[in-house]
Amino acid sequence: MKLILRFFGWAFGLGTVAFLLGAAGVAIYIVTVTKELPDYNTLRNYEPPVMSRVHAADGQLMAEYARERRLYLPIQAVPKLVVQAFLAAEDKNFYSHNGIDVMGIARAALTNFNNRGSGRRPQGASTITQQVAKNFLLSGEQTIDRKIREALIAMRMESAFTKDQILELYLNEIYLGFVLPGYGAYGVAAAALVYFDKSVHELTLPEAAYLAALPKSPTQLHPFRNRDRAIERRNYVINRMVEDGIVSAEEGERAKRTPLNINPRSPRQQTFAADYFAEEVRREMADRFGEKKLLEGGLSIRTTLDPKLQVAARHVLANGLIRYDEARGFRGPVTRIEDVRGDWGARLAEIRAISDVGWKLAVVLDAQADTARIGLQPGRDAAGAVVSGRQIGLITADGVRWTRKAVNRALNPGDVVYVEPIPGREGQFRLRQVPEVSGGLVAMDPYTGRVLAMVGGFSFDQSQFNRATQARRQPGSSFKPFVYAAALDNGYTPSTVVLDAPFELAQADGSMWRPENYSGRFYGPQTLRFGIEQSRNVMTVRLANDVGMPLIAEYAKRFGIYDDMQPVLSMALGAGETTLMRMVAGYSMFANGGRRIRPTLIDRIQDRTGHTIFRHDDRQCQGCTAERWNRQDEPILIDRREQVLDPMTAYQITSMMEGVVQRGTGTVVRELGKPIAGKTGTTNEEKDAWFVGFSPDLAVGVYIGYDTPRPMGRGATGGVMSAPIFRDFMRVALADRPAVPFRVPTGIKLIRIDPRSGLRAGSGATNAILEAFKPGTAPPDSLQLINPGDQASNGGGRGGPSSESNRAISTGTGGLY
């Protein structure tokens, strides 16, 4: 007996020592691990990567930029239903445990023991606090050491943070998978948009339950690839919500019977055909703040874009390019499918098609003289799979009329072509082809520089090169108003007469430069108004020679057309290269009375907290902060922008460009029936066609040309190519605006003038026009004639109505009209 007692005493002592040693080891391990734990207090200043969003001027969403698609929501802004769904799915005891759910651990252990050998995935018992600790501060390795660290951090977090703070971090950080490749959702707000195209506040019970089901395995619960499993897990979450008393059994049954109605958000859904605009904003934001800030900073960017004008700009430019291209005939199919008797749908689906013009690819199945049967390219579902089934259509004689051929002469079986549905004719399509020629359109508020619409080509999907901002091309005669403005600012008047006669200039190589008018004729003595209305090249060269090219180069820089223009005479005809955006900004300064503007696509930028970090309009408003009206004076906008041109000169050149529309090279615009000023521009061999113009409150420019410059054909002038596009855009833009005349500045005198002689019109003159004159510059009774002689040279010019001739060097090509 004593031996037995001694044995148990010895065993007890040994056990006690072992226990104490084990406890000491555990304590030492915990102390060691605790010292090595990451600092959870960093979460107080945590700013997760949040996507930046670009909005149109009216607040509608244009584009989103992100590495992780996330919108950060304070916990107070997360709907109660969504919170309850996630708690039911992930951690129903969240608000009662201290970071570790002991009962949950026991329950998971029992379940895993019962499921041993079944092949089922082991059930975890991590609380939401533990998941936050793992996601933010630890790696994802599956080890005991990491689980211990996770538990220790979770308990510490519970003592340092409120439950709502922890839940806020979780609901905004958790990855919830994707529907479309490349558009993964981080956080509940982004997931609501990605899966259902809804605000998180609009989610229904089955939708909230599906999102709450995703954290366990978002890839395995993809709504299209694993629909049955996704519905099963969603219904499991609904059952948990019923068990927890969050919803009634009836509501739960009704929610489980609801189909999994996924409505994925398309990246092109609300861009208003504004891809060029949005990409220009993206480039500016990346230059201003860097890619990291743009993709992770949660910026809210309010742009200047007017959706209505943007849609109109895209439509009229595309129609203008198509009109020109189709007039030159059909170039043939995009490609061919040799055997259309087999599965042509799968082969057609593999051919890449431009997706942003409303056309479809089709293959010709058979062709007769007056009709062709076509098979349309199959679409793809949200998972990217080709949609089964064949859609057949017809191209009739009306659909190929522009080719000037019979249907079976234009098309052959196997041809892959673009087609467009004919409105009102079910199943009938019109043959289309992507234009080779391209161009751009910019619409701008001339008083602020706000770009209201911008199109940089026919299709952004086809080419991301922006012809409005990146293409540097010769403006041709659309540059001439800046030459005339320099003259008007330096002693000339609209009725000053310049000789339109042959002009020669000796060049450095000994050859002679002889500028010509587009018509090849000379018209003798003519007024400055006539010269700009009819776009006379020789008159412009004589005027530039007399004023002096260094002065004109200074004006070109002042208006932002060129940074450093070479002061040679051919530049007066638009031989230098510039961009459409610069030209529209320059013309805007004529429209606004000569004030400098900076073109902008961005009104305001706010950071993730809503603080404004950039505002384009930096004018000061005196008196705008008054809380109420106490009979004080109305607020005053203090405009300190530079005056780059005399307001009276700006009105004179505007009046002369009104004549371009009324009587000159831009008469196609006259049918608008509203005050419009503008100027055509065409370069040598008709390689570039321009029209830049403005109403009192809107400036617009249109450029047309090939990306690799080549002649567009005789007659492809600014008045024929670009002015009709300008007209069509202005018809939409000004539809609801009254015909307000241009504002006449104080000091201008309007005098009746004979437009041919530039002299005062007699009382009985029937062709007299009202001409604008500065004080003291009314026309004399005798004719003034500028005729510097047949030999000219650069220079300096004295800036008056007459000057001596000097020698000049001229290079390059000039504008026509």
Side-chain angles (χ1 to χ4, degrees):
M1 189 66 180
K2 290 182 179 180
L3 186 63
I4 294 173
L5 291 173
R6 187 180 301 169
F7 171 78
F8 279 109
W10 177 81
F12 177 77
L14 187 63
T16 302
V17 171
F19 173 78
L20 291 175
L21 288 174
V26 170
I28 293 171
Y29 172 77
I30 291 176
V31 169
T32 303
V33 168
T34 301
K35 288 181 179 179
E36 297 175 355
L37 290 178
D39 184 7
Y40 57 85
N41 283 304
T42 58
L43 297 181
R44 295 188 186 279
N45 300 318
Y46 176 66
E47 289 190 346
V50 178
M51 66 179 169
S52 294
R53 312 184 86 195
V54 182
H55 300 267
D58 63 356
Q60 297 186 64
L61 183 66
M62 284 174 53
E64 297 169 330
Y65 299 109
R67 286 197 178 96
E68 296 181 359
R69 206 168 191 79
R70 178 187 286 107
L71 295 172
Y72 200 90
L73 280 183
I75 189 63
Q76 297 83 358
V78 181
K80 185 177 180 181
L81 176 66
V82 174
V83 171
Q84 291 171 329
F86 275 85
L87 293 182
E90 294 292 315
D91 189 357
K92 75 172 186 175
N93 298 321
F94 174 73
Y95 278 99
S96 60
H97 63 61
N98 66 343
I100 300 174
D101 187 356
V102 177
M103 293 301 297
I105 294 173
R107 186 168 50 249
L110 180 61
T111 301
N112 292 336
F113 178 80
N114 293 331
N115 290 339
R116 66 190 188 282
S118 66
R120 295 184 183 180
R121 181 179 177 181
Q123 189 176 108
S126 292
T127 64
I128 282 177
T129 312
Q130 287 177 273
Q131 292 183 55
V132 170
K134 180 187 71 173
N135 293 338
F136 283 86
L137 301 172
L138 298 171
S139 67
E141 60 182 346
Q142 296 292 328
T143 64
I144 297 295
D145 185 67
R146 198 269 296 163
K147 292 295 291 184
I148 292 172
R149 290 169 180 266
E150 178 186 294
L152 291 172
I153 294 174
M155 288 188 289
R156 286 189 166 193
M157 286 178 60
E158 289 278 348
S159 65
F161 295 93
T162 67
K163 289 287 188 178
D164 282 351
Q165 287 174 322
I166 295 170
L167 190 58
E168 179 178 302
L169 289 170
Y170 174 77
L171 292 176
N172 283 286
E173 176 68 17
I174 191 72
Y175 175 64
L176 294 171
F178 65 89
V179 182
L180 300 176
Y183 288 86
Y186 292 81
V188 294
L193 291 172
V194 165
Y195 285 94
F196 303 108
D197 195 20
K198 287 182 175 182
S199 162
V200 68
H201 301 87
E202 300 174 297
L203 293 176
T204 63
L205 170 59
E207 291 168 346
Y210 175 67
L211 295 187
L214 291 171
K216 289 296 184 187
S217 182
T219 303
Q220 297 300 318
L221 300 176
H222 191 279
F224 297 118
R225 297 172 186 163
N226 302 298
R227 177 175 287 270
D228 291 342
R229 189 169 180 180
I231 293 174
E232 179 185 357
R233 178 66 184 175
R234 180 202 68 177
N235 291 350
Y236 164 79
V237 174
I238 294 172
N239 287 335
R240 294 290 298 268
M241 295 176 74
V242 172
E243 292 173 11
D244 295 342
I246 297 169
V247 296
S248 67
E250 293 77 11
E251 289 175 312
E253 288 302 316
R254 190 162 53 248
K256 288 191 291 183
R257 290 195 299 270
T258 304
L260 188 60
N261 294 320
I262 300 299
N263 179 29
R265 184 187 191 90
S266 169
R268 288 189 180 275
Q269 210 159 30
Q270 294 183 357
T271 58
F272 312 110
D275 293 306
Y276 286 106
F277 194 107
E279 175 60 15
E280 196 70 19
V281 170
R282 188 202 64 78
R283 280 195 292 264
E284 181 177 340
M285 294 296 298
D287 290 344
R288 185 185 293 272
F289 298 107
E291 287 283 346
K292 181 178 175 64
K293 185 76 168 178
L294 174 63
L295 298 177
E296 301 179 6
L299 301 175
S300 176
I301 303 146
R302 180 63 64 94
T303 71
T304 58
L305 182 100
D306 183 318
K308 175 186 173 184
L309 295 186
Q310 180 65 29
V311 170
R314 171 69 185 278
H315 179 72
V316 301
L317 180 66
N319 283 352
L321 298 176
I322 292 169
R323 189 163 54 239
Y324 167 83
D325 189 71
E326 290 187 349
R328 275 140 187 83
F330 182 49
R331 294 187 300 275
V334 175
T335 186
R336 284 187 53 79
I337 294 176
E338 291 304 326
D339 183 7
V340 293
R341 292 171 298 178
D343 186 10
W344 53 262
R347 283 174 288 167
L348 186 59
E350 296 303 315
I351 301 174
R352 186 184 181 279
I354 57 176
S355 60
D356 58 348
V357 295
W359 299 353
K360 298 197 72 171
L361 273 182
V363 60
V364 178
L365 302 177
D366 57 63
Q368 308 298 325
D370 58 353
T371 186
R373 193 167 60 93
I374 59 173
L376 300 176
Q377 186 178 50
R380 295 180 182 270
D381 62 22
V386 175
V387 177
S388 60
R390 298 184 178 185
Q391 185 178 355
I392 305 298
L394 295 175
I395 298 178
T396 62
D398 285 345
V400 300
R401 192 175 306 282
W402 61 270
T403 68
R404 296 178 290 279
K405 296 179 180 179
V407 175
N408 59 356
R409 297 296 298 273
L411 300 172
N412 296 299
D415 285 352
V416 176
V417 295
Y418 281 104
V419 295
E420 181 182 30
I422 298 177
R425 300 186 189 179
E426 184 68 26
Q428 292 192 26
F429 295 83
R430 179 179 290 108
L431 176 66
R432 289 300 198 193
Q433 68 181 1
V434 177
E436 289 185 335
V437 73
S438 197
L441 186 152
V442 172
M444 184 182 296
D445 181 334
Y447 289 90
T448 62
R450 298 174 69 248
V451 178
L452 306 176
M454 179 177 67
V455 185
F458 177 73
S459 164
F460 185 82
D461 199 27
Q462 176 200 25
S463 167
Q464 297 182 17
F465 181 65
N466 192 331
R467 286 89 180 164
T469 60
Q470 295 176 305
R472 300 182 64 86
R473 304 300 287 265
Q474 294 180 357
S477 293
S478 61
F479 177 74
K480 289 176 182 176
F482 303 102
V483 177
Y484 283 75
L488 293 170
D489 244 4
N490 289 275
Y492 291 82
T493 75
S495 64
T496 301
V497 174
V498 176
L499 183 63
D500 185 14
F503 179 92
E504 292 184 345
L505 175 67
Q507 301 194 97
D509 61 1
S511 63
M512 300 298 292
W513 180 57
R514 298 181 178 89
E516 295 182 351
N517 295 322
Y518 185 78
S519 65
R521 299 169 53 198
F522 300 96
Y523 295 85
Q526 299 289 343
T527 64
L528 259 65
R529 173 178 285 277
F530 178 88
I532 201 168
E533 287 181 357
Q534 302 302 324
S535 199
R536 299 304 179 203
N537 288 340
V538 181
M539 289 179 64
T540 304
V541 170
R542 288 184 182 277
L543 184 65
N545 185 63
D546 193 58
V547 171
M549 284 304 298
L551 180 61
I552 292 171
E554 173 60 30
Y555 269 68
K557 184 175 183 179
R558 187 184 299 178
F559 280 89
I561 307 303
Y562 302 112
D563 294 328
D564 190 16
M565 188 182 92
Q566 191 177 5
V568 295
L569 281 175
S570 63
M571 291 293 183
L573 301 180
E577 293 180 340
T578 188
T579 67
L580 178 61
M581 182 71 79
R582 286 187 169 213
M583 289 295 291
V584 176
Y587 272 62
S588 292
M589 296 180 217
F590 293 139
N592 71 21
R595 288 276 189 182
R596 182 182 302 282
I597 61 164
R598 291 182 295 112
T600 184
L601 281 66
I602 300 173
D603 273 338
R604 186 191 69 226
I605 303 170
Q606 293 172 295
D607 64 16
R608 67 171 71 210
T609 63
H611 291 104
T612 297
I613 58 177
F614 169 81
R615 188 187 300 276
H616 170 71
D617 191 347
D618 56 3
R619 292 175 298 175
Q620 296 180 357
C621 183
Q622 187 173 304
C624 285
T625 58
E627 294 184 1
R628 61 180 61 86
W629 183 64
N630 292 318
R631 300 187 178 279
Q632 72 267 34
D633 292 336
E634 63 186 47
I636 300 173
L637 275 176
I638 301 174
D639 191 350
R640 293 193 173 93
R641 292 178 298 181
E642 180 186 359
Q643 191 76 41
V644 299
L645 188 68
D646 184 333
M648 289 188 281
T649 301
Y651 179 76
Q652 285 179 312
I653 197 69
T654 295
S655 175
M656 292 163 69
M657 285 195 287
E658 275 193 279
V660 172
V661 172
Q662 295 301 317
R663 296 172 293 276
T665 56
T667 52
V668 69
V669 179
R670 184 173 59 194
E671 62 188 71
L672 288 171
K674 294 182 178 180
I676 300 288
K679 184 70 186 73
T680 54
T682 311
T683 58
N684 283 357
E685 301 181 58
E686 289 92 354
K687 291 180 180 177
D688 307 280
W690 299 69
F691 189 89
V692 188
F694 50 92
S695 69
D697 297 301
L698 182 64
V700 178
V702 178
Y703 156 76
I704 303 294
Y706 290 101
D707 287 342
T708 301
R710 71 175 194 255
M712 291 187 289
R714 184 67 179 175
T717 63
V720 172
M721 295 279 291
S722 299
I725 298 173
F726 175 95
R727 172 203 62 200
D728 295 344
F729 177 79
M730 283 298 211
R731 182 175 286 124
V732 176
L734 303 180
D736 301 326
R737 302 190 189 184
V740 177
F742 288 99
R743 302 161 182 84
V744 182
T746 303
I748 283 287
K749 295 185 180 296
L750 298 176
I751 299 174
R752 294 178 74 251
I753 294 294
D754 182 335
R756 296 185 61 83
S757 67
L759 301 177
R760 293 175 184 266
S763 58
T766 58
N767 64 338
I769 61 172
L770 280 178
E771 194 63 89
F773 294 94
K774 299 174 184 176
T777 64
D781 294 331
S782 59
L783 186 68
Q784 298 181 54
L785 178 64
I786 304 302
N787 184 8
D790 292 340
Q791 296 292 329
S793 77
N794 191 13
R798 291 200 303 258
S802 63
S803 67
E804 295 181 1
S805 301
N806 303 305
R807 181 161 298 279
I809 297 175
S810 180
T811 62
T813 58
L816 296 174
Y817 74 87

